């Protein structure tokens, strides 16, 4: 612990200027958020012309009919236009909130008044901080509500994906707020209490708090939270269940439950995933995936997901995110005790002189937002690498598991080919974009593109997959 605190002290010494120099942080945040917005708009403008192509890539020519491809292009073009408009709209809202100089101080005063109505004074700082966060979230929801309604009931509706009714949409929103209050309030209160209790040694304690919370959510999400939005039902007996249970057994995957989720209740999009503690895992398959793909292809999708487990990808991502959190928290003390930070965003001297931790952390996150864009770029690169590894795991499954017969081994060898067919089906049914600009994909996508994944599958020996060039090389 002492070594960690010594290193944190060095960081604080280097960042001492934050507490003294009259930096106009508001101008800095405005400049960099506009920079990120303009760059993301530029990426969309790079991607947009690709939606005018009239035929899919050669490797997909046998899988996409021209009718489906045209629908995919129209869907991609519609989403791109919406993304440009919504991105600029959100940025203008942010600009107004920042440039006005009174928006965030007004939210803080309003939270104090609301607390006063309940008979509590300003000495209840943690309580006011919790109210501040929820008032801030509610205030941010109002101007962006039209975007969510348009995306769900116009964009997704026009292209055949939306299954949500207006009443269900608002019911989900209300449920999210209630869950946010019930779960978020104690977490936020504990988060702020640690600052009071631990003083300048809060970093390891905050990290432990957040790790414990993440582990609790692994247990609570499927049993308490998920049922508020979707129904998880045991996967019925049959070929698919037998295939997955057999595969999990051969890999010694600690399968506890195998679920089918009613994803079609809200959308036609498909997926599959697993979750749980290291010794107790659950696999969830969307009903839409089961409807669109035969059992052997769904098994291949699950094999890909088990590849993430086999290579410890969730654990590795957890370690990466914890290191990122450590870096964020390590720099925060300099901003926690920085009155110039609050003054630059319009807070009066009475508040800025002793910055409330929640205000300092919120503004600090805004200062970090441009850097966070770079962090997401790195995380996407790691995620894409993991996707390739999981695909390769599925292709090489016959060499990983113990099989009882030559026929079974031969079927295992076909796993990569089945995965390729399943990926194509997913892209066809989801009307996913198949022409993707490399820079746009690098910045936005956590998964490789379909053509990239098919090429890699072909290189691992999957029949009928891969690019023309790959086939020629073989």
């Amino acid at each position: 612990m002492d070594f960690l605190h010594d290193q944190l002290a060095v960081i604080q010494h280097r960042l001492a200027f934050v507490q003294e120099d009259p930096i106009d942080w508001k101008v800095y945040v405005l400049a960099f958020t506009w920079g990120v917005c303009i760059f993301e708009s530029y990426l969309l403008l790079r991607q947009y012309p690709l939606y005018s192509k009239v035929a899919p890539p050669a490797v997909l020519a046998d899988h996409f009919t021209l009718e489906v491809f045209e629908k995919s292009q129209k869907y991609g073009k519609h989403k791109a236009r919406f993304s440009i408009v919504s991105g600029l709209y959100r940025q203008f809202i942010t600009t107004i909130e920042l440039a006005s100089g009174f928006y965030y101080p007004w939210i803080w005063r309003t939270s104090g008044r609301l607390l006063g109505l309940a008979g509590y004074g300003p000495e209840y700082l943690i309580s006011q901080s919790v109210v501040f966060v929820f008032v801030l979230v509610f205030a941010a929801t109002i101007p962006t509500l039209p975007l969510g309604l348009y995306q769900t009931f116009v964009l997704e509706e026009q292209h055949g994906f939306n299954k949500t009714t207006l009443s269900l949409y608002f019911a989900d929103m209300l449920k999210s707020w209630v869950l946010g209050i019930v779960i978020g309030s104690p977490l936020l209160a504990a988060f702020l209490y640690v600052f009071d209790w631990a003083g300048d040694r809060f970093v390891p304690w905050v990290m432990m708090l957040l790790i414990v919370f993440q582990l609790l959510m692994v247990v609570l999400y499927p049993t308490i939270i998920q049922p508020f939005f979707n129904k998880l039902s045991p996967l019925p007996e049959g070929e698919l269940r037998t295939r997955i249970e057999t595969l999990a057994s051969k890999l010694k995957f600690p399968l506890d439950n195998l679920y089918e989720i009613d994803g079609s209740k809200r959308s036609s999009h498909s997926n599959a995933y697993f979750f749980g503690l290291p010794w107790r895992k659950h696999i969830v398959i969307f009903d839409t995936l089961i409807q669109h793909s035969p059992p052997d292809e769904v098994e291949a999708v699950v094999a890909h997901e088990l590849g993430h487990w086999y290579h410890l990808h969730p654990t590795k991502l957890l370690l990466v995110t914890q290191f990122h959190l450590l870096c964020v928290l390590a720099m925060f003390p300099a901003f926690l005790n920085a009155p110039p930070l609050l003054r630059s965003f319009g807070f009066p001297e009475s508040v800025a002189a002793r910055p409330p931790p929640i205000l300092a952390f919120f503004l600090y996150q805004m200062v970090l937002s441009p850097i966070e864009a770079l962090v997401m770029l790195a995380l996407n690169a790691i995620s894409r690498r993991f996707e390739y590894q999981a695909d390769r795991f599925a292709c090489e499954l016959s060499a990983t598991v113990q099989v009882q017969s030559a026929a079974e081994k031969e079927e295992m060898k076909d796993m990569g080919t089945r995965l390729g067919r399943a990926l194509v089906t997913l892209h066809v049914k989801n009307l996913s974009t198949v022409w993707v600009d490399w820079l746009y994909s690098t910045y936005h996508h956590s998964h490789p593109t379909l053509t990239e994944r098919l090429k890699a599958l072909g290189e691992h020996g999957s029949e009928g997959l891969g690019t023309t060039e790959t086939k020629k090389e073989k």
Side-chain angles (χ1 to χ4, degrees):
M1 276 297 189
D2 289 338
F3 174 78
L4 174 62
H5 292 308
D6 289 342
Q7 300 307 309
L8 293 175
V10 172
I11 295 174
Q12 301 319 307
H13 178 71
R14 293 183 178 276
L15 294 175
F17 68 91
V18 173
Q19 303 172 16
E20 302 168 359
D21 295 352
I23 301 171
D24 195 336
W25 292 105
K26 182 173 69 176
V27 172
Y28 160 86
V29 170
L30 275 171
F32 277 94
T33 54
W34 268 106
V36 171
C37 179
I38 291 171
F39 178 69
E40 291 179 350
S41 298
Y42 162 72
L43 292 179
L44 284 164
L45 293 175
R46 284 177 59 103
Q47 172 66 22
Y48 195 78
L50 297 179
Y51 296 122
S52 297
K53 286 184 175 290
V54 296
V59 70
L60 299 176
D62 295 335
H63 304 289
F64 276 75
T65 65
L66 286 179
E67 180 183 4
V68 170
F69 177 72
E70 287 175 1
K71 289 181 179 179
S72 169
Q73 293 291 79
K74 289 179 181 178
Y75 182 45
K77 187 177 289 188
H78 196 170
K79 287 196 297 181
R81 290 198 300 266
F82 174 75
S83 295
I84 291 175
V85 172
S86 62
L88 291 171
Y89 174 78
R90 292 176 191 275
Q91 184 58 35
F92 275 116
I93 295 296
T94 300
T95 300
I96 292 171
E97 292 171 352
L98 287 171
S100 65
F102 70 82
Y103 179 74
Y104 297 115
W106 175 80
I107 296 285
W108 179 251
R109 289 194 302 272
T110 299
S111 64
R113 293 192 189 102
L114 291 174
L115 199 65
L117 294 176
Y120 296 95
E123 67 274 12
Y124 290 89
L125 186 60
I126 292 179
S127 298
Q128 183 175 352
S129 298
V130 172
V131 175
F132 167 79
V133 170
F134 287 109
V135 172
L136 187 67
V137 171
F138 179 76
T141 300
I142 297 173
T144 58
L145 182 59
L147 296 178
L149 291 171
Y150 179 89
Q151 183 174 15
T152 301
F153 296 103
V154 178
L155 196 160
E156 296 292 315
E157 186 81 31
Q158 283 185 6
H159 299 279
F161 289 115
N162 177 48
K163 303 296 181 183
T164 303
T165 63
L166 193 63
S167 59
L168 183 60
Y169 182 90
F170 283 104
D172 283 349
M173 183 181 295
L174 180 60
K175 290 175 187 176
S176 298
W177 285 345
V178 171
L179 286 171
I181 293 172
V182 172
I183 298 175
S185 297
L187 174 65
L188 182 57
F191 177 79
L192 296 170
Y193 175 78
V194 169
F195 285 104
D196 285 342
W197 173 74
D200 60 356
R201 291 177 171 252
F202 69 84
V203 173
W205 297 105
V206 168
M207 291 197 65
M208 281 190 278
L209 170 67
L210 295 179
I211 290 173
V212 169
F213 174 74
Q214 291 175 59
L215 293 176
L216 282 174
M217 288 302 293
V218 168
V219 177
L220 295 177
Y221 182 80
T223 57
I224 296 178
I225 300 175
Q226 184 75 58
F228 278 93
F229 300 95
N230 290 97
K231 181 181 179 182
L232 290 176
S233 305
L235 187 67
E237 296 293 336
E239 180 186 355
L240 178 58
R241 187 179 185 93
T242 300
R243 280 178 173 273
I244 294 175
E245 288 180 340
T246 301
L247 179 61
S249 176
K250 289 177 178 176
L251 289 169
K252 294 182 171 50
F253 177 79
L255 179 62
D256 187 64
N257 289 300
L258 186 53
Y259 293 115
E260 177 182 347
I261 189 172
D262 61 341
S264 58
K265 181 179 180 181
R266 289 171 174 78
S267 173
S268 297
H269 292 294
S270 304
N271 204 351
Y273 61 93
F274 72 88
F275 64 90
L277 297 170
W279 56 88
R280 187 182 180 189
K281 299 289 187 183
H282 314 276
I283 294 176
V284 179
I285 305 173
F286 279 54
D287 56 354
T288 46
L289 178 60
I290 296 173
Q291 294 163 11
H292 296 156
S293 298
D296 63 336
E297 292 182 12
V298 178
E299 179 194 17
V301 173
V302 173
H304 165 90
E305 295 301 323
L306 296 186
H308 288 305
W309 166 80
Y310 183 85
H311 288 290
L312 301 176
H313 292 160
T315 302
K316 292 173 181 177
L317 279 176
L318 178 63
L319 293 175
V320 170
T321 54
Q322 295 309 307
F323 176 74
H324 171 231
L325 176 62
L326 175 61
C327 293
V328 170
L329 292 175
M331 295 185 291
F332 177 53
F335 292 82
L336 175 60
N337 302 301
L341 174 66
L342 272 71
R343 286 199 297 267
S344 66
F345 284 93
F347 285 91
E349 187 62 38
S350 58
V351 177
R354 296 185 63 186
I358 190 62
L359 294 182
F361 192 76
F362 171 69
L363 298 177
Y364 169 61
Q365 288 293 98
M366 295 182 69
V367 170
L368 284 185
S369 58
I371 299 175
E372 291 298 294
L374 297 177
V375 171
M376 288 305 302
L377 188 66
L379 290 176
N380 281 344
I382 294 172
S383 176
R384 285 195 296 272
R385 177 179 175 83
F386 287 171
E387 292 302 318
Y388 280 128
Q389 288 181 345
D391 283 351
R392 182 166 185 168
F393 172 84
C395 290
E396 300 175 349
L397 201 54
S398 60
T400 304
V401 302
Q402 293 182 350
V403 293
Q404 302 297 323
S405 65
E408 191 176 9
K409 186 171 184 178
E410 192 63 30
E411 187 180 23
M412 284 288 183
K413 285 184 178 180
D414 189 42
M415 192 71 76
T417 301
R418 284 185 272 146
L419 176 60
R421 292 200 301 264
L423 291 174
V424 170
T425 301
L426 284 171
H427 277 69
V428 169
K429 296 299 181 181
N430 292 340
L431 296 182
S432 301
T433 300
V434 293
W435 286 106
V436 185
D437 175 73
W438 71 270
L439 186 57
Y440 177 89
S441 178
T442 299
Y443 183 83
H444 283 290
H445 290 168
S446 61
H447 286 52
T449 64
L450 177 60
T451 51
E452 289 171 337
R453 292 181 73 176
L454 293 183
K455 179 180 178 181
L457 287 171
E459 290 172 349
H460 298 321
S462 298
E463 296 179 4
L465 300 172
T467 63
T468 305
E469 291 77 11
T470 303
K471 293 177 182 177
K472 288 180 179 178
E473 288 174 4
K474 292 184 177 296

